[in-house]
Amino acid sequence: MTRNLFYRAANIVQLSRFTLLAGSRLLCTQTQAEPPTVRQQNNGIRRIILNNPKKRNALSLSMLESLRSNILADIDSDNLRVIVISAKGPVFSSGHDLKELTSAQGRDYHTKVFQACSEVMTLIQDIPVPVIAMVNGVATAAGCQLVASCDIAVVTEKSTFATPGVNVGLFCSTPAVAIGRAVPKKVAMEMLFTGSPISAQDALRHGLVSKVVPEERLEEETLAIARRVCQASRPVVALGKATFHRQMAQGRDAAYATASRVMVDNLALRDGQEGIRAFIEKRKPVWTNKAEKANDE
């Protein structure tokens, strides 16, 4: 009888352990949801991957907030030189999550979504490092806006771009801000009024993207550009990027005045003088990658 009680107790303990293990696995499965975006960084190149292929990488509020957070993380670090934005699955991004835009969500929520989206798009242009879109698939509405907002876009031959909001009763007014500044006016208007997609080659022809490559070479070509960026001085690139976007919003004469002042500022940088000396001395420059003045030496 004592032996039977012992075996019964042992079985109860074993069953309890199994139940506890199974319960912890279930809890783990329930709580460990996939993050909306994934961030990786190596050798100065930060890769941010849109990570919700089941929902066509829709730019939901949580996706936008995650994207913003991953862009801003250690943004002033000397180790960060360039950002590459890509996506998991056959769709780069289908734009906003329309389930978040029903009247049930309310005007305040809708305002929050579009404010977050505008912040991310302007942030991409305002941060001190170049941002490259690596696109293999469909980019529509705010997804197309994301591509247009990036400094460089490398895409595959099967990629397409569209602003189809007009077809579901929501004109792509915010995507039009970025797209209208990237392509000729009449091309933008046709995209916005019809919602019809354009091919990768048409996107290249109109200036929406930088380069079209075979699918199997997308990563290689994109990272080659990123590595080339990493070879330049970070503060020089940062100054150049900020100035480019500023002068593009100005008239010709104001743009030249702005750019001329910045060229002088560039020459005052330690890395600016190092680059000129290295050229004269026929050697490779050694960058400090810090925004230090040459006369601080």
Side-chain angles (χ1 to χ4, degrees):
M1 183 175 179
T2 303
R3 183 179 297 177
N4 288 339
L5 287 173
F6 173 79
Y7 284 135
R8 188 180 300 172
N11 287 336
I12 290 172
V13 171
Q14 187 174 7
L15 181 60
S16 298
R17 287 176 177 170
F18 176 78
T19 304
L20 182 62
L21 181 61
S24 65
R25 285 176 178 170
L26 178 61
L27 182 62
C28 185
T29 302
Q30 290 174 339
T31 58
Q32 287 187 347
E34 286 286 316
T37 63
V38 175
R39 185 177 85 234
Q40 305 165 347
Q41 188 166 325
N42 188 38
N43 295 326
I45 302 171
R46 174 175 298 171
R47 299 188 61 172
I48 302 176
I49 304 164
L50 307 184
N51 190 42
N52 194 0
K54 290 182 180 178
K55 296 196 72 173
R56 297 164 61 86
N57 292 311
L59 296 180
S60 62
L61 184 57
S62 62
M63 175 76 85
L64 289 166
E65 289 174 343
S66 179
L67 184 56
R68 178 174 55 197
S69 176
N70 282 330
I71 290 172
L72 282 174
D74 296 322
I75 193 64
D76 293 322
S77 169
D78 295 344
N79 295 322
L80 175 62
R81 312 298 294 282
V82 63
I83 294 174
V84 176
I85 299 177
S86 61
K88 188 179 293 186
V91 176
F92 178 77
S93 176
S94 59
H96 290 292
D97 184 347
L98 295 184
K99 290 182 179 179
E100 292 188 340
L101 304 182
T102 63
S103 57
Q105 297 291 341
R107 186 180 183 91
D108 289 345
Y109 188 85
H110 296 164
T111 299
K112 190 175 182 180
V113 168
F114 288 108
Q115 282 180 341
C117 185
S118 296
E119 286 173 11
V120 167
M121 302 303 167
T122 56
L123 183 63
I124 286 171
Q125 296 187 349
D126 290 345
I127 60 173
V129 297
V131 181
I132 304 173
M134 184 171 80
V135 183
N136 184 27
V138 177
T140 60
C144 187
Q145 178 185 4
L146 179 57
V147 175
S149 298
C150 290
D151 300 304
I152 299 170
V154 184
V155 310
T156 64
E157 295 163 328
K158 73 177 188 180
S159 299
T160 58
F161 306 87
T163 50
V166 67
N167 297 325
V168 296
L170 183 64
F171 197 86
C172 286
S173 293
T174 45
V177 174
I179 294 164
R181 285 162 170 74
V183 305
K185 177 182 175 181
K186 287 181 172 56
V187 174
M189 297 304 277
E190 182 179 349
M191 290 179 67
L192 292 163
F193 289 148
T194 68
S196 299
I198 63 172
S199 67
Q201 289 297 338
D202 281 343
L204 177 65
R205 187 176 303 114
H206 298 313
L208 181 61
V209 305
S210 314
K211 183 179 287 191
V212 180
V213 300
E215 184 176 4
E216 64 273 13
R217 288 177 49 203
L218 176 62
E219 187 163 341
E220 175 189 348
E221 294 279 352
T222 305
L223 292 181
I225 295 172
R227 292 188 191 103
R228 188 65 183 267
V229 171
C230 290
Q231 293 175 10
S233 162
R234 177 185 160 107
V236 170
V237 170
L239 187 62
K241 174 176 174 175
T243 306
F244 178 83
H245 288 298
R246 191 184 319 135
Q247 62 87 15
M248 285 295 288
Q250 297 176 325
R252 182 195 62 188
D253 293 347
Y256 269 118
T258 294
S260 296
R261 286 194 301 271
V262 172
M263 292 289 282
V264 174
D265 292 340
N266 195 154
L267 286 170
L269 287 174
R270 183 176 295 183
D271 277 357
Q273 288 301 308
E274 164 61 14
I276 291 173
R277 283 198 302 267
F279 180 82
I280 294 171
E281 296 168 7
K282 297 186 168 83
R283 61 175 174 81
K284 190 174 181 179
V286 180
W287 307 123
T288 67
N289 289 315
K290 298 183 184 300
E292 298 173 344
K293 297 294 179 64
N295 57 12
D296 289 344
E297 294 178 341

